[in-house]
Amino acid sequence: MNQDQLKQMVGEAARDEVLKLPSGQVLGVGTGSTANCFIDALAPHKEHFSGTVSSSNATTECLLKHGFKVLDPNDVQVLPAYVDGADEIDLAGYMIKGGGGALTREKIIAAMAQQFICICDSSKQVPVLGNFALPVEIIPLARGVVSRELEKFGGKVGLRLAKNIRTDLNQTPSEPFVTDNGGWILDVAGLQISDPLTMEAQINQIAGVITVGLFAKEKANILLVSNVSDVERIAL
Ligand code: 5RP
């Protein structure tokens, strides 16, 4: 079984999970290839939800293509669930996210939601976060000062370039990758994140940081994780 099939399996499991929610509510939808599998699986059941809130321009495009209603988050008061992938998830449900560059809107929608349903394959499960470089979205003019502050955590800081990412946006490969919010992303490699809640709070305090892709306060509540034999459901 290849990784695409594992993503498809977990996308279908997430569809079954959210269809247990009472109908007529709004659903939060994440960003990335696993979230896209979830959208594909849910599309035939879209009438179950009164609408969706989207975590990125790419997801909005995908939802609209499938005929989902996409709402302005400002018009939504109650969001029972948010479904999204992760780049890494630990045993407590703390995550690194933002490999696709959508971390800020993902965190906003996660903060609105009553439960975060994380969907991934078992390659994303780790004992300690940090093998995947931690994305930090920043205000571009703060690149220098934020980089120096992030280096104090012991990792190697690199500016994310448009190369290989979101080619649909026609960004020049050697230029900085620009997020949906006009921010840049610093990726911090080589961290061992033993206390995600503290590190998230500390990085959030740095002037010029928009969002850190450490989801500790907004951790996963339910993990659906696919492996070669099945999809496991873990309440966190
Ligand atoms: C995007 C994200 C994604 O959820 C994360 O990168 C996982 O993506 P994929 O499902 O394609 O592996 O945080 O900003």
Side-chain angles (χ1 to χ4, degrees), residues 7 31-35 84-87 97-103 106 124:
K7 288 176 185 181
T31 296
S33 53
T34 318
D84 198 0
D87 297 302
K97 291 184 46 55
L103 58 160
E106 290 174 339
K124 306 287 185 74

Side-chain angles (χ1 to χ4, degrees), residues 89-94 125-129 219-220 223 234-236:
I89 181 162
D90 73 9
L91 298 173
Y94 298 136
Q125 288 180 295
V126 295
V128 179
L129 299 174
K219 71 189 269 291
L223 170 62
I234 302 169
L236 296 158

